[in-house]
Amino acid sequence: LVTPAGTAPDESAHSFAHRRFGPEVAEVAVDSLCRGVFAGDSRTLSVRSCFPALFQAERRRGSVLLGLALGHGARSPRGPEAGLVRRAREERWSQWSLRGGMEALARGLVAFVSPRGAELRCHAPLRHLCHRRGRWQLTLADGTITADHVVSALPAAALAQVLPAEAEPLARELRCIPAASVAVVNLQYEGATLPVTGFGHLVPSSEDPALLGIVYDSVAFPEHDGTPGTPETPSLRLTVMLGGAWFRQSFGDPAAAAPELLLGRAREAVRDHLGLAGTPTRAIVRVQQDCIPQYTLGHWERVERIQRFLKEQKLPLSLIGASYSGVSVNDCIASARAAVGQLLGSPP
């Protein structure tokens, strides 16, 4: 409560936590949290961009605890709340998903917009964007599309590759937003039980840089347990996350990482941390390349410069997705909703 508030415009998450809460919180709790959310290094990630609530709480009240407790003061009234939202809050959901997996969200969007006149081009990568006389021309693998306005959910680096030459200042800023690669290993053990329960656990980088953490899928979604074809057979499902900001130093090039190496490392982690020494009945290894943007120091300034360029050049381009103002699925939904609200002239 008596620690002076910071005065720098930005600070690393590690430095912020060390200054406010001490070395143990910084090196164990915040380090692990950054690895679990961003697969990133707390010493390079920006507290202002990654944890804006903490940064703003200190700036408003001079204390993180007081700032979070007192909030912004008077709050604007909320609109009608959906029953599902109330249930999630009352039951304190730690995770949510959809029947059939998160791909059901994309399928649902397609089913909604298709009968309403939307033209869908699936599996048609964007090759080039060109802005002429107030309209965009999008060059795809299977043809071209013209548009008055483009809403891009591409990763920042991917968008930079397709922008026209006159937008090089924008492309330069986009290329400066890095991303981390993560290996996701799904394991299923038949007849096994966990020694603990919970969401899962994260691992600080000082203990094991290669291992980010393990999620106990069976605890959050027990209805998914069971061997295919025999739902009555008890099983245990786990997800092991590897690499992140430490991927290259631990496993080499993400594009060439050996699945056998990643699987072996995941099984070793499950054995050492949870005591599961048996052979998994199912194992799936995926490497998600450049999948989580890294909000490094000064990220907020970069986003401001990007938005200023779009405004000054009067480019009808909205940037949404994980590269700018939040990496979670919920953040991406919120940024899309805000962009559509601005286009329609309604508040986000």
Side-chain angles (χ1 to χ4, degrees):
L1 293 176
V2 297
T3 301
T7 57
D10 201 357
E11 190 175 3
S12 74
H14 181 275
S15 172
F16 181 91
H18 190 284
R19 177 172 59 81
R20 293 236 52 115
F21 305 113
E24 188 173 17
V25 171
E27 294 168 13
V28 178
V30 172
D31 180 280
S32 299
L33 180 62
C34 288
R35 284 157 63 81
V37 176
F38 295 90
D41 188 346
S42 64
R43 291 164 177 79
T44 63
L45 294 179
S46 157
V47 69
R48 179 167 181 165
S49 297
C50 296
F51 305 104
L54 300 182
F55 180 84
Q56 295 299 334
E58 184 192 47
R59 292 304 164 99
R60 283 195 310 267
R61 304 287 182 176
S63 163
V64 173
L65 299 179
L66 285 177
L68 292 176
L70 298 176
H72 296 275
R75 296 185 178 181
S76 58
R78 290 180 176 176
E81 188 174 71
L84 193 62
V85 175
R86 287 195 300 272
R87 180 184 171 192
R89 184 177 294 110
E90 292 168 358
E91 297 179 6
R92 298 185 178 184
W93 292 0
S94 63
Q95 285 179 284
W96 64 272
S97 187
L98 299 169
R99 292 187 180 90
M102 292 303 295
E103 186 181 346
L105 177 60
R107 291 198 298 267
L109 290 171
V110 170
F112 181 84
V113 302
S114 293
R116 290 168 171 79
E119 180 183 354
L120 298 173
R121 302 285 187 93
C122 299
H123 309 293
L126 180 63
R127 299 286 176 81
H128 186 65
L129 268 175
C130 181
H131 190 246
R132 290 287 185 274
R133 292 185 290 277
R135 288 178 64 82
W136 288 104
Q137 184 178 56
L138 294 78
T139 303
L140 307 176
D142 61 349
T144 61
I145 297 175
T146 58
D148 297 312
H149 194 102
V150 168
V151 180
S152 171
L154 292 173
L159 177 60
Q161 293 179 353
V162 300
L163 287 173
E166 57 268 23
E168 175 55 27
L170 172 60
R172 187 165 55 247
E173 296 286 3
L174 294 172
R175 285 193 294 267
C176 290
I177 300 176
S181 299
V182 178
V184 179
V185 184
N186 301 108
L187 301 174
Q188 180 168 309
Y189 293 84
E190 191 169 344
T193 57
L194 281 171
V196 293
T197 60
F199 175 90
H201 69 270
L202 299 170
V203 181
S205 59
S206 58
E207 181 176 325
D208 188 343
L211 174 63
L212 302 175
I214 303 175
V215 179
Y216 313 152
D217 300 300
S218 289
V219 175
F221 302 111
E223 63 272 20
H224 294 170
D225 289 349
T227 303
T230 56
E232 69 281 358
T233 304
S235 62
L236 173 67
R237 295 171 299 105
L238 304 167
T239 296
V240 183
M241 300 172 292
L242 303 168
W246 299 262
F247 198 107
R248 289 185 178 275
Q249 72 182 55
S250 300
F251 305 109
D253 184 356
E260 298 81 7
L261 172 64
L262 297 169
L263 176 58
R265 187 66 186 82
R267 291 184 59 186
E268 177 186 338
V270 168
R271 182 195 65 209
D272 295 346
H273 288 236
L274 300 173
L276 301 177
T279 301
T281 54
R282 296 184 71 198
I284 301 174
V285 180
R286 297 184 181 90
V287 177
Q288 309 288 356
Q289 297 185 47
D290 299 328
C291 61
I292 305 183
Q294 303 293 285
Y295 299 168
T296 54
L297 285 173
H299 178 81
W300 67 278
E301 290 181 298
R302 178 163 293 114
V303 173
E304 284 190 355
R305 289 194 297 268
I306 289 172
Q307 294 299 335
R308 187 163 55 246
F309 180 87
L310 294 176
K311 185 176 181 179
E312 291 174 350
Q313 299 299 316
K314 298 180 180 179
L315 284 179
L317 174 63
S318 298
L319 303 183
I320 65 172
S323 293
Y324 311 103
S325 57
V327 300
S328 73
V329 173
N330 294 348
D331 289 323
C332 293
I333 293 172
S335 70
R337 183 181 181 187
V340 172
Q342 290 177 352
L343 283 173
L344 297 178
S346 58

